[in-house]
């Protein structure tokens, strides 16, 4: 079917759009619907050179191919209705579009989609279409007038003039605007993360289930200890597949201690009930307690390997020790305790703590647990990004502990480690860095400027479940002075001693965190971890730009993966956040910033895509617009 389109358009700003929309809704009979334009192009630009455009419009569960050809005063459209299955085939293989047009043999590619919320009003001279369109992280507004004949452009001019808007002819069409944005959107996308996202979760489930079933059925007959297998301790530069990682992990079965055997009478560790046994994955089916080496060889061997890996990934001093804790709060507790014992021994009243007013609230718990008094704390103000004001740090001596942040919880900002170190280098002061999620930028070359001289500190803490995307209870405490750290836990370890995990933490019996952290790093490799960090950063910037286009004020610079913002009035942040979260499609947080409510977004999930963010921006924008009418 062919159709001649006589169309005039004018791009609006947000204020103009809302003004016209409110008037049309209140005073006209209107139709409203959502449509999606799926755009295609050929790699040799033959369509563009012929002033043609090719799209599929998805509307009300219908799909229409449209080939547009621009002419002097109008546009010639060739329209073909297709079903959903044909549409999906075309998206998967755009070359299928050639079969719908005679003599078309183009190398086609799918560019992506543009979503439009359209409000239509029929008038005598034609059809008024008021459009709000989403594409990439952009939102734009326009009015289209589909005229009945060539003389009706004046109607649009007159219509706009009633709103004191001067009509401007010959503005870019939707596909032209989309293509321009497509060409200018130089977005970072990690191929490694994309390939991980393509993995089908079920691919390995059968193998894992078969292994668990076999192991559980043989556990009573298996030896308690076996001949040890050598473990590859090389940190891979490129990713390993989940299948290969699981295969390698299973090959290390000889390195476990079969504490689940009914004949194991060594340590008082008990067994595991069948219902609990089957509910866990490989590291749990082995029923490992990593407290001491001869209860789990593998867990402790992997801790030694992880210690080497984190020293390399974070560029830390070679003598740095690693302890695995449940989370950052536990790690901070152990780090401050080590600093106190190292600097003042039993005379804790001599210690001075310097900390910013933006430090994590769990430090209050830590100070109480460690018996520190409020009078021993010097709380330093922060700048407008939440960074400690280094110039306000004074009276640093040999009994001083300075607590800094690699990633402010709200803004994601990083304290100036270089300037702080310069104030302490003539003393024995201890610098501790809380880097629960932000320490990982050390693994990303393009963001490492944020952590300059971070390795000159004395201790560091980070979580696995945040940026690294491990399971929970995978916190890490890293300490430059291994002897001082072990001494703070009342442990002494010779260099030749076998690793006992309990020596490096305040826990004794605990599960084998090292297996999960080891597998997570193996799945990424050095390159993949850096790209994960960079992609989370790129996604965060993309989200912030989209929010700004809607009308949000972005409070912070996007250092890494935190966004702090508000819409028009901070006082309405709590209600806005509630309305967003009530959609049950996305979830954001309401936090206090200098005593006022603001909205915080934290981008931490490796599965998040730019399309996910586009969908979130659309929801947020709809909520904001509906609240203004």
């Amino acid at each position: 079917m062919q159709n001649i389109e006589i169309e005039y358009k004018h791009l609006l700003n947000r204020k103009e759009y809302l003004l016209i929309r409110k008037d049309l809704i209140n005073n006209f009979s209107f139709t409203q619907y959502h449509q999606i334009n799926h755009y295609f192009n050929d790699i040799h630009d033959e369509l563009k050179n012929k002033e043609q455009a090719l799209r599929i419009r998805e509307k009300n569960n219908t799909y229409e191919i449209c080939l547009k050809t621009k002419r002097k005063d109008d546009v010639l459209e060739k329209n073909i209705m297709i079903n959903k299955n044909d549409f999906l085939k075309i998206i998967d293989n755009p070359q299928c579009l050639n079969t719908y047009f005679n003599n078309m043999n183009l190398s086609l590619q799918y560019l992506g989609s543009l979503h439009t919320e359209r409000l239509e009003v029929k008038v005598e001279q034609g059809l008024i279409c008021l459009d709000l369109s989403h594409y990439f992280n952009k939102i734009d507004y326009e009015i289209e007038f589909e005229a009945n004949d060539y003389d009706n452009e004046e109607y649009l001019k007159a219509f706009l003039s009633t709103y004191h808007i001067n009509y401007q002819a010959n503005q870019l069409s939707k596909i032209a605007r989309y293509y321009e944005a497509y060409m200018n959107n130089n977005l970072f996308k990690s191929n490694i993360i994309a390939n991980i996202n393509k993995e089908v979760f079920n691919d390995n489930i059968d193998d894992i289930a078969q292994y668990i079933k076999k192991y559980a059925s043989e556990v009573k007959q298996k030896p308690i200890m076996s001949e040890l297998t050598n473990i590859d301790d090389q940190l891979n530069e490129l990713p390993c597949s989940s299948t290969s990682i699981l295969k390698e992990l299973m090959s290390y079965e000889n390195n476990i201690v079969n504490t689940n055997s009914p004949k194991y009478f060594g340590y008082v560790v008990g067994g595991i009930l069948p219902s609990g046994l089957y509910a866990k994955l490989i590291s749990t089916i082995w029923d490992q307690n990593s407290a001491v080496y001869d209860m789990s060889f593998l867990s402790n061997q992997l801790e030694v390997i992880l210690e080497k890996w984190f020293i390399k990934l974070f560029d830390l001093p070679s003598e740095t020790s690693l302890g695995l804790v449940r989370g950052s709060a536990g790690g901070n507790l152990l780090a401050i305790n080590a600093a106190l014992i190292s600097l003042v021994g039993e005379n804790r009243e001599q210690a001075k703590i310097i900390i910013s007013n933006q430090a994590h609230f769990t430090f209050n718990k830590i100070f109480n647990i460690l018996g520190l008094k409020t009078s021993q704390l010097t709380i330093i103000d922060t700048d407008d990004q939440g960074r400690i004001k280094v110039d306000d740090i004074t009276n640093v001596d040999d009994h001083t502990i300075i607590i800094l942040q690699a990633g402010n919880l709200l803004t994601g900002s990083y304290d100036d480690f270089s300037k702080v170190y310069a104030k302490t280098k003539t003393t024995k002061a201890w610098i501790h860095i809380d880097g629960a999620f932000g320490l990982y930028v050390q693994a990303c070359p393009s963001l490492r400027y944020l952590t300059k001289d971070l390795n000159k500190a004395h201790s560091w803490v980070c979580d696995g479940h945040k940026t690294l995307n491990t399971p929970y209870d995978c916190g890490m405490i890293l300490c430059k002075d291994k002897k001082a750290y072990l001494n703070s836990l009342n442990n002494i370890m010779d260099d030749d001693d076998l690793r006992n995990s309990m020596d490096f933490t305040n826990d004794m019996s605990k599960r084998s965190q090292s297996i999960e952290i080891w597998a997570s790093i193996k799945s990424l490799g050095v390159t993949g971890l850096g790209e994960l960090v960079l992609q989370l950063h790129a996604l965060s910037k993309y989200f912030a730009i989209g929010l700004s286009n809607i009308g949000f004020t972005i409070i912070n610079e996007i250092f890494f993966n935190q966004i702090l913002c508000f819409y028009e009035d901070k006082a309405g942040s709590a209600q806005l956040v509630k309305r967003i979260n009530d959609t049950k499609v996305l979830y954001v947080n309401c936090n206090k910033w200098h005593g006022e409510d603001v909205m915080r977004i934290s981008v931490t999930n490796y599965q998040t895509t730019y399309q996910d963010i586009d969908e979130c921006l659309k929801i947020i924008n709809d909520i904001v617009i509906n609240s203004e009418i």
Side-chain angles (χ1 to χ4, degrees):
M1 183 179 73
Q2 292 196 32
N3 177 53
I4 295 175
E5 181 183 62
I6 306 170
E7 182 180 82
Y8 306 101
K9 64 175 67 254
H10 176 85
L11 291 178
L12 304 166
N13 60 37
R14 183 183 181 83
K15 184 177 179 181
E16 292 168 342
Y17 169 82
L18 290 172
L19 177 66
I20 297 174
R21 185 173 187 269
K22 184 176 182 180
D23 184 45
L24 293 181
I25 289 174
N26 292 335
N27 299 303
F28 290 82
S29 176
F30 65 91
T31 303
Q32 195 168 2
Y33 57 85
H34 176 78
Q35 67 181 31
I36 307 172
N37 287 347
H38 300 273
Y39 294 124
F40 301 84
N41 191 32
D42 66 286
I43 61 175
H44 302 299
D45 283 337
E46 291 184 37
L47 288 172
K48 185 179 179 182
N49 294 336
K50 293 178 181 178
E51 294 192 282
Q52 291 181 319
L54 184 58
R55 65 158 164 79
I56 297 177
R57 174 164 289 173
E58 179 182 349
K59 183 177 73 174
N60 298 329
N61 295 317
T62 64
Y63 302 86
E64 181 187 62
I65 300 172
C66 180
L67 177 64
K68 292 191 172 194
T69 303
K70 187 177 180 180
R71 303 194 303 188
K72 182 180 179 182
D73 297 316
D74 56 35
V75 174
L76 177 65
E77 293 185 345
K78 293 183 180 180
N79 303 303
I80 303 169
M81 299 301 298
I82 59 173
N83 59 40
K84 185 174 182 179
N85 288 335
D86 289 337
F87 165 73
L88 294 175
K89 288 178 182 178
I90 292 170
I91 294 298
D92 186 56
N93 180 17
Q95 308 314 314
C96 296
L97 276 170
N98 285 307
T99 62
Y100 291 89
F101 300 96
N102 294 330
N103 303 317
M104 180 182 280
N105 186 24
L106 301 175
S107 299
L108 295 168
Q109 60 178 342
Y110 176 51
L111 299 181
S113 60
L114 179 147
H115 293 246
T116 298
E117 301 296 334
R118 170 163 285 190
L119 190 152
E120 288 183 349
V121 173
K122 290 183 178 180
V123 295
E124 182 180 348
Q125 294 83 357
L127 185 67
I128 297 172
C129 303
L130 186 67
D131 291 345
L132 181 156
S133 297
H134 302 255
Y135 50 103
F136 300 107
N137 60 343
K138 294 180 177 296
I139 296 176
D140 63 29
Y141 313 88
E142 69 179 315
I143 187 166
E144 290 185 357
F145 180 55
E146 297 180 4
N148 295 334
D149 59 50
Y150 297 97
D151 298 326
N152 286 336
E153 184 175 11
E154 293 299 322
Y155 178 85
L156 179 59
K157 292 181 184 179
F159 179 82
L160 289 172
S161 68
T162 62
Y163 303 98
H164 305 290
I165 299 172
N166 294 322
Y167 169 68
Q168 296 180 13
N170 302 318
Q171 298 199 340
L172 291 178
S173 64
K174 284 185 177 67
I175 190 169
R177 301 198 304 274
Y178 181 91
Y179 188 74
E180 183 179 85
Y182 175 85
M183 296 302 293
N184 292 333
N185 248 323
N186 186 21
L187 300 173
F188 173 79
K189 293 184 179 180
S190 166
N191 289 329
I192 292 174
I193 303 303
N195 288 333
I196 291 175
N197 271 301
K198 289 178 182 177
E199 285 192 17
V200 178
F201 187 70
N202 292 337
D203 283 353
N204 295 297
I205 290 296
D206 289 342
D207 291 339
I208 294 171
Q210 183 178 357
Y211 175 84
I212 291 175
K213 184 177 180 180
K214 184 174 184 295
Y215 183 87
S217 66
E218 297 175 352
V219 68
K220 295 181 181 180
Q221 291 76 41
K222 283 184 176 294
I224 292 174
M225 297 182 185
S226 304
E227 186 72 20
L228 300 185
T229 301
N230 289 331
I231 302 175
D232 180 11
D233 65 353
Q234 296 300 308
L235 176 58
N236 50 302
E237 183 65 31
L238 295 175
C240 298
S241 68
S242 294
T243 301
S244 68
I245 292 169
L246 292 172
K247 184 177 180 181
E248 182 181 348
L249 179 59
M250 291 175 189
S251 74
Y252 295 148
E253 181 183 312
N254 281 355
N255 294 44
I256 73 167
V257 178
N258 185 13
T259 54
N260 211 23
S261 168
K263 296 182 177 66
Y264 181 79
F265 306 110
Y267 294 84
V268 184
V269 293
I272 183 168
L273 292 169
S275 58
L277 186 64
Y278 302 142
K280 300 180 181 179
L281 296 176
I282 292 174
S283 65
T284 308
I285 198 71
W286 288 341
D287 191 26
Q288 295 299 277
N289 186 325
S290 62
V292 294
Y293 184 81
D294 59 353
M295 284 178 65
S296 179
F297 309 130
L298 179 59
S299 299
N300 287 284
Q301 287 169 324
L302 289 179
E303 282 198 24
V304 174
I305 290 171
L306 287 175
E307 189 174 88
K308 296 176 182 177
W309 286 8
F310 279 110
I311 288 171
K312 179 178 179 180
L313 288 169
F314 294 159
D315 190 27
L316 301 179
S318 60
E319 65 273 18
T320 299
S321 65
L322 168 72
L324 298 183
V325 292
R326 297 190 65 181
S328 290
N332 286 325
L333 171 67
L334 296 181
I336 303 306
N337 183 62
L340 288 168
I341 292 176
S342 177
L343 297 183
V344 298
E346 296 181 358
N347 302 310
R348 298 209 164 186
E349 70 281 357
Q350 296 178 7
K352 297 194 300 185
I353 308 293
I354 295 177
I355 190 169
S356 82
N357 60 9
Q358 282 287 315
H360 198 275
F361 67 90
T362 52
F363 278 101
N364 294 326
K365 294 182 179 181
I366 291 168
F367 298 149
N368 284 338
I369 292 170
L370 294 174
L372 297 172
K373 300 177 181 178
T374 304
S375 59
Q376 293 176 262
L377 308 181
T378 299
I379 299 175
I380 306 295
D381 287 338
T382 51
D383 65 15
D384 62 348
Q385 295 295 306
R387 295 169 293 211
I388 194 168
K389 291 184 177 180
V390 180
D391 291 340
D392 291 351
I393 297 176
T394 58
N395 300 321
V396 177
D397 59 25
D398 293 345
H399 297 161
T400 302
I401 301 170
I402 302 177
I403 299 170
L404 303 176
Q405 293 189 95
N408 179 288
L409 181 64
L410 299 180
T411 67
S413 65
Y414 289 73
D415 289 330
D416 193 329
F417 308 126
S418 298
K419 286 186 178 181
V420 175
Y421 174 72
K423 287 202 167 195
T424 66
K425 61 183 179 181
T426 59
T427 71
K428 295 180 181 179
W430 184 293
I431 298 175
H432 172 66
I433 296 177
D434 178 16
F437 63 90
L439 198 63
Y440 291 94
V441 302
Q442 276 284 88
C444 180
S446 62
L447 294 177
R448 204 173 288 157
Y449 71 93
L450 293 167
T451 53
K452 182 182 178 183
D453 287 336
L454 173 142
N455 55 9
K456 292 181 179 178
H458 298 80
S459 54
W460 310 262
V461 158
C462 64
D463 263 334
H465 76 265
K466 293 183 171 71
T467 304
L468 186 55
N469 278 239
T470 69
Y472 284 100
D473 296 339
C474 289
M476 287 149 272
I477 160 71
L478 296 140
C479 189
K480 180 166 65 174
D481 190 336
K482 181 178 290 189
K483 289 185 178 180
Y485 180 68
L486 291 172
N487 181 55
S488 71
L489 295 168
N490 202 28
N491 295 317
I492 299 174
M493 178 181 177
D494 295 328
D495 291 339
D496 295 332
D497 285 354
L498 296 173
R499 174 91 173 196
N500 295 315
S501 182
M502 61 178 282
D503 292 340
F504 292 82
T505 180
N506 56 326
D507 292 321
M508 183 175 176
S509 294
K510 60 175 185 169
R511 64 185 183 84
S512 301
Q513 302 144 295
S514 58
I515 293 173
E516 297 160 17
I517 301 172
W518 170 86
S520 298
I521 296 176
K522 288 281 283 189
S523 70
L524 292 165
V526 176
T527 304
L529 178 56
E531 290 189 4
L532 171 59
V533 170
L534 187 58
Q535 180 158 300
L536 292 174
H537 178 57
L539 287 162
S540 302
K541 291 199 298 183
Y542 185 85
F543 209 153
I545 292 170
L547 288 168
S548 180
N549 289 339
I550 291 173
F552 280 77
T553 297
I554 308 301
I555 296 171
N556 64 312
E557 178 182 345
I558 309 303
F559 299 94
F560 177 27
N561 62 346
Q562 306 294 106
I563 305 169
L564 203 63
C565 60
F566 65 93
Y567 183 77
E568 292 188 345
D569 183 9
K570 293 177 185 176
S573 295
Q575 184 60 30
L576 176 59
V577 166
K578 183 181 184 304
R579 293 186 68 188
I580 292 171
N581 293 341
D582 283 347
T583 67
K584 298 183 180 179
V585 178
L586 72 153
Y587 193 94
V588 298
N589 253 351
C590 182
N591 290 88
K592 292 287 185 182
W593 178 251
H594 297 304
E596 295 182 288
D597 288 338
V598 292
M599 188 168 85
R600 189 198 71 168
I601 293 171
S602 181
V603 184
T604 57
N605 194 323
Y606 81 94
Q607 299 176 90
T608 303
T609 66
Y610 294 104
Q611 182 179 345
D612 293 327
I613 292 174
D614 289 342
E615 292 169 2
C616 292
L617 288 170
K618 178 187 179 303
I619 291 169
I620 294 171
N621 191 61
D622 288 347
I623 289 172
V624 168
I625 285 180
N626 288 332
S627 68
E628 294 178 354
I629 294 175

